[in-house]
């Protein structure tokens, strides 16, 4: 059969068979550590308390927590967060080999990003890309952990895709459905892989078929892109506890503040989706504060580098007057290059700063030490003591057993 006649899932499954280099595996350890930090930091949340009361394994409970603080890793072009779906998946199935889990994670990232990058603006307007592509990513990661054949992987993708998706309505209500999206993607993808390995078949044309995902949710899906480099290298780390759409504005504001020019009325110019998701002048709770450009800039104006405490209720009340000084507008120069680049400008009567990319993006990467320090800060926020924190970092970056990491999660959760 010629490549032209292969389905999207068949082409992707074949592409994912290529070998993984040690340097990529090493990079994946940093993403695993980043996710573990996010999980540890979320231990104080109500959803963590709820999951703690329920039965289940540690990886399954952790799947609910990786996105709570809005500090999980992100891929710009796909507009999704791979870490909180992929890592609990690879920890929850397969052998005790951490190297095998890391390799499955790299492949899960690749599949999730490749699929998310095909989805168009019509899809993103209503559907949560992390939920849509997440089930495919989890199915891929679990399939490789289970030793699936290429044909079985195609079925796993078809099964996962046949029930994929999650609506953005949860953005408009103070609920926990976003965390359910991630946990659902993990459990559904893992179940699809187990069933496919057992012999259950799934549709190979789940994307391009007449009643497939593209027909149902997209106006103009993009073609499948299969670069030779593993796409985990394209994934950004998030230094601030806010929606990624707010990060370039935060970075620009920090630069302007360092120049002594972040005073008086402030104008934020950025791309359209940043306004759709984060134009919120009067946030009423922690989640709304994390999705508020106005609040993010007010933090920088009054307090400098954003801390997790700056999105809590006390800070929301304290920064109301400063938020009123911040206005936000769309600038087509940023919209035209989005989502390949997340850019913003911040201006006052005293000066202006324009940034094409945010800190943590491949163009402005966090160092390895920066990722480690972020993990330490998150673990401290979650109440992990100093000795346990250093053990977690060592086990993640140098260890060779999955069970050591799941033991950490059991202690934390």
């Amino acid at each position: 059969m010629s490549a032209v006649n292969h389905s999207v899932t068949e082409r992707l499954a074949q592409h994912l068979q290529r070998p993984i280099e040690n340097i990529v595996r090493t990079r994946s350890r940093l993403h695993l550590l980043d996710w573990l930090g996010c999980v540890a930091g979320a231990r104080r949340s109500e959803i963590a308390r709820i999951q703690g009361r329920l039965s289940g394994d540690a990886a399954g409970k952790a799947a609910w927590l990786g996105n709570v603080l809005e500090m999980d890793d992100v891929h710009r072009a796909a507009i999704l967060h791979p870490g909180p779906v992929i890592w609990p998946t690879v920890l929850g199935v397969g052998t005790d080999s951490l190297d095998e889990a890391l390799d499955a994670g790299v492949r899960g990232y690749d599949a999730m990003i490749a699929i998310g990058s095909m989805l168009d603006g019509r899809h993103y307007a209503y559907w949560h890309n992390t939920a849509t592509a997440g089930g495919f990513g989890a199915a891929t990661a679990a399939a490789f952990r289970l030793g699936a054949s290429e044909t079985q992987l195609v079925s796993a993708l078809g099964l996962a895709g046949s029930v994929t998706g999650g609506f953005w309505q949860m953005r408009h209500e103070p609920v926990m459905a976003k965390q359910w999206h991630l946990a659902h993607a993990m459990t559904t993808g893992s179940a699809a892989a187990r069933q496919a390995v057992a012999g259950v078949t799934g549709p190979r044309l789940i994307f391009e078929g007449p009643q497939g995902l593209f027909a149902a949710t997209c106006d103009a899906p993009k073609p499948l892109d299969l670069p030779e480099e593993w796409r985990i290298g394209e994934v950004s780390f998030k230094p601030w506890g806010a929606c990624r759409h707010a990060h370039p504005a935060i970075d620009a504001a920090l630069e302007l503040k360092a120049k002594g020019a972040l005073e008086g009325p402030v104008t934020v110019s950025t791309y359209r989706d940043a306004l759709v998701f984060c134009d919120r002048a009067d946030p009423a709770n922690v989640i709304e504060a994390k999705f508020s450009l106005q609040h993010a800039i007010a933090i920088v104006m009054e307090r400098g580098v954003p801390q997790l405490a700056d999105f809590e209720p006390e800070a929301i009340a304290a920064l109301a007057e400063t938020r009123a000084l911040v206005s936000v507008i769309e600038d087509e120069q940023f919209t035209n290059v989005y989502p390949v680049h997340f850019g913003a400008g911040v201006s006052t009567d005293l000066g202006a700063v324009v940034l094409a990319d945010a800190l943590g993006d491949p163009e402005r990467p966090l160092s390895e030490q920066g990722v480690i320090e972020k993990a330490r800060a998150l673990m401290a926020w979650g109440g992990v003591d100093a000795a346990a924190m250093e053990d977690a970092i060592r086990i993640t970056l140098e260890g060779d057993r999955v069970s050591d990491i799941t033991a950490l999660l059991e202690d934390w959760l």
Side-chain angles (χ1 to χ4, degrees):
M1 182 182 293
S2 70
V4 173
N5 293 322
H6 286 169
S7 69
V8 168
T9 53
E10 288 168 331
R11 291 166 58 203
L12 178 59
Q14 195 283 324
H15 185 67
L16 292 169
Q17 307 301 318
R18 64 200 194 280
I20 295 172
E21 304 85 357
N22 284 335
I23 190 170
V24 177
R25 193 175 297 119
T26 298
R27 163 81 184 222
S28 71
R29 287 180 182 267
L30 288 174
H31 286 276
L32 174 57
L33 177 63
D34 189 63
W35 172 74
L36 285 169
C38 291
V39 170
R43 293 201 311 163
R44 298 169 51 170
S45 65
E46 177 61 22
I47 199 161
R49 288 187 281 273
I50 293 171
Q51 296 308 310
R53 296 194 296 267
L54 300 174
S55 61
D57 61 71
K61 292 181 180 181
W64 287 83
L65 305 184
N67 173 255
V68 169
L69 297 178
E70 291 292 337
M71 296 193 75
D72 43 332
D73 61 9
V74 60
H75 188 274
R76 292 170 298 177
I79 326 179
L80 52 73
H81 304 273
V85 174
I86 299 303
W87 295 121
T89 301
V90 300
L91 295 178
V93 62
T95 70
D96 198 33
S97 167
L98 185 54
D99 277 351
E100 290 181 9
L102 293 168
D103 285 359
V106 169
R107 292 184 166 100
Y109 268 68
D110 227 56
M112 192 168 168
I113 292 165
I115 289 162
S117 297
M118 291 189 290
L119 304 174
D120 66 358
R122 167 79 166 81
H123 186 98
Y124 189 62
Y126 297 96
W127 299 82
H128 182 194
N129 280 14
T130 304
T132 302
F136 293 103
T140 297
F144 276 97
R145 290 288 273 147
L146 294 169
S149 68
E150 191 174 320
T151 299
Q152 289 169 335
L153 175 56
V154 170
S155 277
L157 292 167
L159 291 171
S162 65
V163 291
T164 193
F167 293 118
W168 276 124
Q169 179 57 33
M170 45 74 176
R171 289 181 48 244
H172 304 284
E173 304 175 42
V175 295
M176 302 172 184
K178 191 175 186 185
Q179 281 62 57
W180 164 239
H181 284 186
L182 306 184
H184 182 269
M186 172 213 168
T187 55
T188 301
S190 296
R194 291 183 188 277
Q195 295 296 325
V197 169
V200 176
T201 56
R204 69 183 189 89
L205 298 171
I206 193 62
F207 290 103
E208 67 271 43
Q211 290 184 290
L213 184 68
F214 290 159
T217 70
C218 296
D219 286 334
K222 301 161 194 170
L224 177 65
D225 183 24
L226 299 174
E228 280 305 309
E229 296 294 324
W230 289 101
R231 301 188 74 166
I232 196 169
E234 302 172 4
V235 177
S236 303
F237 292 100
K238 293 175 63 177
W240 323 124
C243 174
R244 187 59 169 180
H245 292 312
H247 280 220
I250 292 172
D251 296 343
L254 285 168
E255 287 198 18
L256 201 58
K257 186 179 182 69
K259 297 176 180 180
L262 191 65
E263 298 179 7
V266 177
T267 299
V268 176
S269 56
T270 188
Y271 51 92
R272 184 180 304 115
D273 267 354
L275 303 188
V276 170
F277 282 81
C278 297
D279 181 3
R280 188 170 280 106
D282 295 303
N285 53 53
V286 174
I287 293 298
E288 290 188 1
K290 288 175 177 290
F291 281 76
S292 169
L293 281 162
Q294 292 89 339
H295 186 73
I297 301 307
I299 291 170
V300 179
M301 292 175 72
E302 294 292 333
R303 304 182 177 190
V305 175
Q307 306 296 322
L308 287 169
D310 295 328
F311 299 93
E312 294 294 310
E314 183 179 349
I316 294 171
L319 294 173
E321 290 186 9
T322 307
R323 280 196 304 274
L325 298 174
V326 182
S327 59
V328 297
I329 60 172
E330 180 188 353
D331 188 326
E332 288 189 356
Q333 71 169 315
F334 300 119
T335 298
N336 290 341
V337 296
Y338 168 82
V340 176
H341 298 279
F342 285 24
V346 176
S347 61
T348 69
D349 290 341
L350 301 176
V353 170
V354 174
L355 296 176
D357 302 290
L359 180 62
D361 285 341
E363 296 84 358
R364 301 180 62 213
L366 279 184
S367 65
E368 177 178 333
Q369 192 58 39
V371 176
I372 293 171
E373 290 303 323
K374 174 190 170 183
R376 284 196 179 107
L378 286 167
M379 291 179 197
W381 176 258
V384 177
D385 67 55
M389 188 185 303
E390 297 310 312
D391 281 345
I393 293 169
R394 176 183 55 79
I395 288 167
T396 307
L397 298 184
E398 301 173 15
D400 57 10
R401 298 193 306 179
V402 169
S403 56
D404 290 335
I405 295 177
T406 55
L408 283 175
L409 294 173
E410 288 167 0
D411 288 342
W412 291 350
L413 305 179

